[in-house]
Amino acid sequence: MPDPAPAQISVDLSGQTALVTGASRGIGRAIALALARCGAKVACVARDAAKLQETVAAIASAGGTALAVACDVTKRESVDEAVTKVTTDWGRLDIVVNNAGITRDTLLPRMSDEHFDDVIATNLRGTFLFTRAATLVMMGQRYGRIINISSVSGIRGNKGQSNYSASKAGIIGFTQSVALELAGRNITVNAVAPGFIETEMTSVLGDEFKDEARKHIPAKRLGQPEDVAECVVFLASRAASYITGQVMTVDGGMTV
Ligand code: NAP
């Protein structure tokens, strides 16, 4: 039996525009679909333009509006162009979800400079670049929601993931600092820390590993991308306007 997806929360985001990085698959795709279901126009960002079109088509076939923006989150020019494209086409940018992320897992003695730098560049620098570019637009609007996807590995360490944990812990510190800077401007900045979610990123771990992991998760199931997406929708909503600088874990109780 596959692990179940959660019920969908009902939030009205009509008239708003969102940008989701890493929207071509996995958690980012589920977030893009969920925000579009709630009425937001969604700009879907990733490097693989063809895969992005699949997310855009899924949103369109459900009656939503989406745009594919091929962009490498590690490159400043590419990020600035993506934000300019959205604001030029749609006139505003209300919600940014920094979700693009990679792993390059290995134990520290075997970790190359590239293993470390690539993970920091995508996960942490990418979050910085999109947040900075979006903030300039949001400050002018006096409204914004920024949601950064961290990880339980950013809250506590994980063997073989020192690079990834550092990037995800960095996202938490970044989120808290920027939240303080923007709290007086009606812009909230929060992080979501997923536990073990079934996506391409975790598919390499194999069924035996997953069965073992399931036993150690208090909820006794692995998370689905939709579990994370529904939390993001809540944080993106006006209902969450007094929540900022927080980290919400979506992990079935793993970190309790
Ligand atoms: P995934 O299936 O591997 O998807 C990653 C996404 O990021 C893809 O759309 C990928 O598209 C995009 N991406 C990677 N590098 C990029 C770059 N340089 N520029 C633009 N886009 C880039 O991963 P996932 O499991 O959905 O994870 C999504 C986020 O959740 C990540 O930040 C991950 O660290 C976090 N997370 C996942 C889990 C989990 O258990 N799955 C747990 C905790 C946290 P392209 O390759 O086409 O660019």
Side-chain angles (χ1 to χ4, degrees), residues 22-28 45-48 71-74 99-102 122 149-151 164 168 194-197 199-202:
S24 58
R25 58 177 192 261
I27 294 171
V45 169
R47 291 165 302 180
D48 183 338
C71 160
D72 183 338
V73 302
T74 68
N99 163 83
I102 59 168
T122 303
I149 306 301
S150 176
S151 167
Y164 183 76
K168 295 299 186 178
F196 195 134
I197 311 295
T199 67
E200 203 168 303
M201 184 180 270
T202 48

Side-chain angles (χ1 to χ4, degrees), residues 83-206:
V83 170
T84 301
K85 164 101 186 121
V86 176
T87 50
T88 305
D89 283 20
W90 290 340
R92 54 188 294 121
L93 180 55
D94 301 286
I95 302 159
V96 166
V97 185
N98 287 303
N99 163 83
I102 59 168
T103 49
R104 296 284 182 270
D105 296 354
T106 189
L107 294 172
L108 185 62
R110 289 196 211 110
M111 190 170 288
S112 67
D113 292 5
E114 288 74 26
H115 284 134
F116 189 83
D117 292 345
D118 289 353
V119 168
I120 297 293
T122 303
N123 301 4
L124 186 54
R125 178 178 158 81
T127 297
F128 155 67
L129 290 174
F130 260 111
T131 302
R132 185 177 62 182
T135 293
L136 292 171
V137 179
M138 290 174 174
M139 279 173 25
Q141 295 170 175
R142 289 196 70 79
Y143 183 83
R145 294 276 185 274
I146 298 168
I147 298 141
N148 300 325
I149 306 301
S150 176
S151 167
V152 294
S153 300
I155 295 171
R156 61 183 196 192
N158 200 18
K159 270 189 211 165
Q161 288 203 312
S162 57
N163 50 357
Y164 183 76
S165 289
S167 74
K168 295 299 186 178
I171 285 176
I172 292 173
F174 177 75
T175 298
Q176 291 169 336
S177 298
V178 179
L180 289 173
E181 292 182 21
L182 298 176
R185 295 178 181 263
N186 202 25
I187 300 168
T188 66
V189 190
N190 290 289
V192 173
F196 195 134
I197 311 295
E198 282 196 288
T199 67
E200 203 168 303
M201 184 180 270
T202 48
S203 63
V204 290
L205 298 170

